[in-house]
Amino acid sequence: MGHHEYSPTDELRRSTRLTNPVSDFASIWYPEEAATAAEVHNESLGGIALVVGDVSHLAIGCEVGIAHAGLLMRAIVRHIQPHSDGRYIVGFECELLLD
C-alpha cells in the first residue's frame, strides 16, 4: 500500500485540519507523570495531533491534559501512528477546560 498525505476529505470529521498551527509546541500532562513537550503536527476545532517520541504512557482512549496556545484542554487519544522520523503522531479529541 502506498503512502499519501491526508486531505480534509479523507475522514469524516466535523472540522477541517489546520496545518499552520497557532503555536509550534504543546505540553502533555499524563496522569501521575511530569508534563512533556510535544511538537504540534496539526489542529482542528475539535482536536490536535502532536508528534511525540515516547508513547509508552499513551493508549487509545487514554485521557490526558494538554496546554497549547495559552489554553488548557482535556484530551482523549484517538489514534497513534508511526511518523517517518521514528517518533509518533498522536491524535487527540479535545475539550477546552474553563476556569
Side-chain angles (χ1 to χ4, degrees):
M1 180 179 278
H3 170 79
H4 87 263
E5 294 295 319
Y6 281 110
S7 74
T9 59
D10 284 340
E11 299 180 24
L12 299 174
R13 57 177 44 248
R14 293 183 198 152
S15 57
T16 302
R17 283 192 177 108
L18 307 172
T19 55
N20 293 319
V22 173
S23 174
D24 291 337
F25 293 93
S27 294
I28 303 172
W29 277 273
Y30 303 103
E32 301 178 20
E33 295 289 330
T36 187
E39 182 182 339
V40 176
H41 183 68
N42 63 48
E43 55 188 312
S44 69
L45 295 177
I48 191 167
L50 302 177
V51 181
V52 299
D54 179 12
V55 294
S56 62
H57 293 95
L58 298 172
I60 305 299
C62 171
E63 186 174 309
V64 298
I66 294 179
H68 172 60
L71 302 173
L72 182 58
M73 299 172 279
R74 178 180 303 126
I76 299 172
V77 176
R78 293 299 181 207
H79 67 83
I80 300 172
Q81 299 175 318
H83 191 274
S84 60
D85 66 4
R87 297 181 294 168
Y88 297 86
I89 298 173
V90 183
F92 298 91
E93 180 180 342
C94 297
E95 176 185 345
L96 183 64
L97 294 176
L98 302 175
D99 293 336

